[in-house]
Amino acid sequence: MHDGKPAADPEALMRSRFSAYALDKSDYVLRTWHPSTRPPAVDGDPGLRWTRLHVLGHDGGGVFDAEGTVEFRAHYVDGGQPGVMAEKSRFVRHDGRWVYQGPL
C-alpha cells in the first residue's frame, strides 16, 4: 500500500500506517492523514523502534460505510526500554480513500 494503492478498509490502513512508521515512511503517514487533522510534519525518532502491532478490534469501515474505528496496541522500544501505545482511532473516507482522522 505504500506504493499508492488505497487501503481496502480502516484496519488495512492502520496496519500499513504502522508499517510506515516502522520503516520511517513519513510521506505515507502524512498522505493517509485527513487534511483537517494532519500535522505539518512527522519526524522520526532515531531512538524509537516500532516492533509489533496488535489490533484489538474494529467497527464499521465496510464497503458502504463512511467511517470506521480500529482499536490497537502498538509496541515499541525506546532507548532500550519497551513500551506500548494504545489507541482507538477514527478513520473516514476522504476523496474516495480511507484516511486516519485521529484518536477517539
Side-chain angles (χ1 to χ4, degrees):
M1 278 180 250
H2 299 157
D3 61 1
K5 294 177 186 167
D9 55 47
E11 183 178 344
L13 181 58
M14 181 64 242
R15 291 180 183 282
S16 70
R17 285 174 54 85
F18 175 83
S19 296
Y21 273 105
L23 298 169
D24 198 25
K25 292 182 175 273
S26 59
D27 58 327
Y28 180 81
V29 172
L30 289 171
R31 194 169 62 246
T32 58
W33 209 312
H34 194 277
S36 69
T37 57
R38 180 187 311 139
V42 175
D43 298 321
D45 180 346
L48 182 74
R49 186 171 50 93
W50 294 100
T51 59
R52 183 169 49 104
L53 178 68
H54 182 209
V55 174
L56 302 173
H58 59 88
D59 188 40
V63 175
F64 300 109
D65 292 330
E67 65 179 60
T69 61
V70 178
E71 186 173 1
F72 68 92
R73 287 195 180 112
H75 299 260
Y76 61 86
V77 176
D78 188 5
Q81 298 297 314
V84 177
M85 178 192 136
E87 183 176 299
K88 187 169 187 178
S89 300
R90 172 176 284 147
F91 294 86
V92 297
R93 288 191 196 266
H94 179 73
D95 292 337
R97 293 176 165 238
W98 286 108
V99 293
Y100 171 76
Q101 189 169 40
L104 289 177

